[in-house]
């Protein structure tokens, strides 16, 4: 068998997916559109200069048809929300990801909250508002602090604010409704209870009817140590989490993932693809913060190091609704992925800095460096975005994986390289004996 795959996106997530697919004996060729400096130099892989803007969807379909692509995997949320899967399916092409209606579970927090209520899925108490005055009156009269204010639509992770005072909440409401900084994504607002506990990422392969959960992971969203500063796309992940038991995972499957799949199927929007609920482990059990309809970034950079099954088979089983026939295998090792970002990210940063030291960092087979914001310019590797690289290391236990990732990251250099120094520290702390 010689399968051709098209991966859509340009981040570290897509490099990790393309890397894992390129290792499959069944896969003869991987195309990545538009890709990055890492996917440009990957074995069996070529970048394709087509954007993921909606206007370019027909070009992608034309390419997939002319190259007889066997499977397309969609990375980013906005392409899913814009209906790329619907168009590929209409063209008779196999594609991994939810259609636009199913992707609303991420693209509309209002829909996802309503779905959770219907399916009895534990989540933060909330109210939805579609005008400034009513939301303002609610905050004035009712809210306890901190309170969380969220724009309902897709806002690149920036549409959520944890407000510690009434003024913070009012300011954020003003930004959304009056200043309209999130445009259409701010037509509705969710105001919800602040949840306390460890935040975890769940990933589940879904085929519309059934789901297979990955080991659990933890991202580190804030830019600075101890979860301070503005939220980013994610500054580093670890997996599996030492404080989540098998029983916890079964509970999450039975109280979150399966009820949502059932409710979506009943809604006429069966979910095929990757369902990624973000959860807080509260004192009263796991509660959902949000659902994503795609692989996490940088969770995927960690997960692709742990999955032992052939990724092509898994994607195909999801698309063909045959997940129950597979027994997906995972390594029993631990993994840590540390992001190297450009100075100034997530606010503003420069591009075009020379990157060195990646081959030194990858001298050990346990270390793999996934590219995000990089580009090859006449064989020179340059920074080209906010999150630049993910240095991912596997080891027999979490502590060793974290140490290896940081040792490898120290060999990489570009002007202004920034990383959080506490990736995994919160999880390791849970393991410390209480003195
Ligand atoms: P979301 O896009 O809804 O996942 O929110 C982005 C981030 O804000 C989450 O990853 C959490 O770190 C934080 N967050 C969102 N909602 C809550 C909540 N209800 N309680 C505590 N933290 C939250
Ligand atoms: N890990 C954060 C995200 O993918 O949304």
């Amino acid at each position: 068998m010689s399968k051709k795959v098209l991966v859509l996106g340009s981040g570290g997530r897509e490099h990790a997916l393309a890397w894992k697919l390129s290792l499959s004996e069944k896969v003869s060729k991987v195309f990545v559109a538009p890709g990055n400096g890492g996917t440009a130099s990957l074995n069996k892989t070529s970048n394709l200069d087509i954007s993921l803007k909606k206007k370019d969807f027909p070009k992608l379909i034309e390419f997939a048809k002319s190259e007889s692509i066997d499977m397309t995997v969609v990375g980013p949320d906005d392409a899913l929300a814009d209906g790329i899967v619907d168009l590929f399916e209409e063209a008779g092409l196999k594609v991994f990801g939810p259609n636009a209606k199913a992707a609303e579970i991420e693209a509309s927090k209002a829909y996802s909250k309503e779905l959770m209520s219907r399916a009895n899925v534990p989540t933060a108490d909330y109210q939805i508002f579609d005008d400034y005055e009513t939301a303002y009156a609610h905050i004035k009269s009712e809210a306890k602090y901190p309170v969380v204010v969220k724009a309902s639509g897709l806002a690149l992770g920036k549409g959520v604010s944890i407000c510690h005072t009434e003024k913070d909440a009012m300011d954020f409401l003003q930004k959304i409704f009056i200043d309209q900084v999130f445009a259409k994504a701010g037509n509705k607002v969710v105001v919800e209870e602040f949840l306390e506990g460890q935040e975890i990422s769940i990933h589940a392969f879904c085929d519309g009817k059934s789901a297979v959960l990955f080991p659990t992971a933890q991202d580190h969203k804030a830019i600075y140590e101890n979860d301070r500063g503005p939220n980013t796309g994610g500054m580093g992940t670890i997996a599996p989490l030492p404080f989540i038991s098998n029983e916890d995972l079964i509970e999450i499957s039975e109280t979150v993932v399966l009820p949502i799949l059932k409710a979506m199927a009943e809604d006429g929007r069966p979910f095929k693809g990757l369902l990624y609920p973000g959860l807080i482990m509260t004192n009263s059990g796991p509660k959902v913060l949000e659902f994503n309809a795609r692989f996490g970034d940088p969770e995927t950079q960690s997960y692709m190091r742990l999955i032992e099954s052939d990724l092509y088979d898994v994607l195909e089983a999801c698309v063909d609704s045959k997940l129950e026939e597979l027994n997906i295998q995972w390594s029993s090792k631990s993994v840590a992925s540390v992001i190297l970002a450009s100075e100034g990210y997530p606010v503003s940063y420069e591009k075009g800095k020379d990157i060195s030291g990646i081959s030194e960092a990858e001298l050990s087979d346990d270390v793999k460096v996934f590219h995000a914001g990089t580009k090859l310019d006449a064989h020179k590797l340059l920074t080209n975005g906010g999150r630049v690289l993910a240095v991912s290391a596997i080891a027999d236990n979490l502590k060793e994986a974290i140490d290896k990732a940081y040792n490898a990251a120290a060999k990489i250099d570009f002007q202004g390289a920034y990383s959080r120094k506490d990736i995994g520290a919160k999880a390791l702390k849970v393991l410390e004996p209480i003195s």
Side-chain angles (χ1 to χ4, degrees):
M1 278 192 283
S2 94
K3 302 288 189 187
K4 290 187 191 172
V5 186
L6 173 60
V7 176
L8 301 181
S10 59
R13 165 181 57 203
E14 287 78 15
H15 186 191
L17 291 169
W19 171 75
K20 185 69 196 175
L21 285 162
S22 75
L23 297 178
S24 165
E25 281 174 11
K26 290 183 185 135
V27 172
S28 58
K29 183 77 195 172
V30 181
F31 294 95
V32 189
N36 58 36
T39 53
S41 32
L42 192 62
N43 195 15
K44 292 188 198 170
T45 304
S46 303
N47 283 351
L48 188 66
D49 191 16
I50 305 179
S51 91
L52 298 195
K53 295 206 180 92
K54 199 170 176 177
K55 68 168 179 42
D56 285 336
F57 289 177
K59 284 191 200 157
L60 291 166
I61 288 171
E62 209 181 287
F63 174 83
K65 279 185 162 170
S66 67
E67 270 293 331
S68 308
I69 295 289
D70 297 285
M71 175 70 69
T72 297
V73 193
V74 187
D77 50 13
D78 40 1
L80 293 167
D82 282 342
I84 196 162
V85 167
D86 307 61
L87 291 179
F88 269 73
E89 282 176 348
E90 278 160 27
L93 294 159
K94 273 197 185 185
V95 54
F96 178 89
N99 62 21
K101 279 225 144 271
E104 267 197 33
I105 193 165
E106 173 168 6
S108 164
K109 288 188 193 291
Y111 170 65
S112 123
K113 279 292 198 183
E114 183 270 319
L115 188 69
M116 283 190 262
S117 298
R118 229 180 328 132
N120 244 326
V121 168
T123 184
D125 287 341
Y126 70 99
Q127 277 185 275
I128 298 173
F129 300 96
D130 39 30
D131 68 273
Y132 177 73
E133 286 71 27
T134 330
Y136 182 96
H138 169 75
I139 299 262
K140 269 268 178 232
S141 67
E142 295 183 53
K144 293 193 211 87
Y145 292 89
V147 72
V148 187
V149 180
K150 305 182 173 186
S152 173
L154 295 176
L156 297 169
K158 294 189 178 126
V160 174
S161 178
I162 295 168
C163 304
H164 292 270
T165 63
E166 186 180 298
K167 179 167 186 316
D168 291 351
M170 293 306 182
D171 287 352
F172 201 61
L173 272 188
Q174 160 125 11
K175 252 174 105 171
I176 300 176
F177 278 129
I178 312 286
D179 306 341
Q180 305 197 342
V181 295
F182 304 114
K184 263 195 351 234
N187 282 353
K188 283 183 198 288
V189 161
V190 177
V191 177
E192 71 178 29
E193 167 201 17
F194 176 78
L195 298 175
E196 268 190 89
Q198 292 260 10
E199 184 169 347
I200 70 168
S201 299
I202 297 294
H203 276 49
F205 284 119
C206 299
D207 70 355
K209 307 176 297 202
S210 55
V212 176
L213 271 65
F214 293 31
T216 48
Q218 185 164 56
D219 190 7
H220 297 70
K221 295 231 168 107
I223 185 74
Y224 303 128
E225 281 85 17
N226 300 315
D227 300 331
R228 287 177 307 108
N231 267 355
T232 68
M235 293 302 292
T237 47
I238 51 163
L241 300 177
F243 56 87
I244 300 290
S245 65
N246 227 4
E247 288 70 43
D248 292 330
L249 203 57
I250 291 169
E251 182 185 350
I252 292 166
S253 173
E254 287 175 355
T255 62
V256 175
V257 178
L258 296 177
I260 285 292
L261 273 194
K262 187 160 172 276
M264 291 188 78
E266 285 166 2
D267 250 3
R269 353 182 162 194
F271 191 94
K272 278 190 184 185
L274 195 290
L275 188 64
Y276 155 17
L279 267 75
I280 299 263
M281 302 302 289
T282 72
N283 284 338
S284 47
K287 290 195 179 176
V288 176
L289 288 179
E290 63 161 352
F291 282 97
N292 298 301
R294 50 164 177 93
F295 287 94
D297 186 337
E299 282 86 346
T300 306
Q301 292 86 318
S302 282
Y303 281 138
M304 290 304 115
R305 307 297 311 283
L306 292 185
I307 189 166
E308 287 180 341
S309 298
D310 186 317
L311 183 61
Y312 188 88
D313 289 342
V314 182
L315 300 180
E316 190 170 54
C318 291
V319 175
D320 294 344
S321 295
K322 288 184 175 161
L323 205 44
E324 274 167 346
E325 293 174 17
L326 276 192
N327 183 9
I328 302 175
Q329 299 296 319
W330 297 92
S331 159
S332 57
K333 294 201 175 212
S334 291
V335 57
S337 301
V338 173
I339 295 288
L340 295 180
S342 299
E343 183 177 11
Y345 172 76
V347 183
S348 63
Y349 49 84
E350 291 175 4
K351 298 180 181 177
K353 312 286 181 200
D354 279 304
I355 305 173
S356 63
I358 292 183
S359 9
E360 289 81 354
E362 284 186 327
L363 276 178
S364 151
D365 281 348
D366 292 343
V367 175
K368 178 84 205 130
V369 179
F370 294 114
H371 297 223
T374 74
K375 70 167 181 191
L376 271 183
D377 192 4
H379 301 290
K380 256 180 36 177
L381 188 67
L382 302 176
T383 67
N384 192 38
R387 291 188 295 173
V388 177
L389 301 165
V391 183
S392 166
I394 50 170
D396 289 338
N397 64 55
L398 184 59
K399 167 102 184 44
E400 272 178 42
I402 295 168
D403 289 346
K404 258 191 210 175
Y406 276 112
N407 286 337
K411 298 183 180 148
I412 298 175
D413 192 37
F414 56 88
Q415 194 196 326
Y418 169 79
S419 62
R420 259 180 76 159
K421 299 297 176 285
D422 66 343
I423 300 304
K426 213 166 28 173
L428 287 180
K429 223 172 160 112
V430 179
L431 299 180
E432 280 172 10
I434 300 163
S435 51

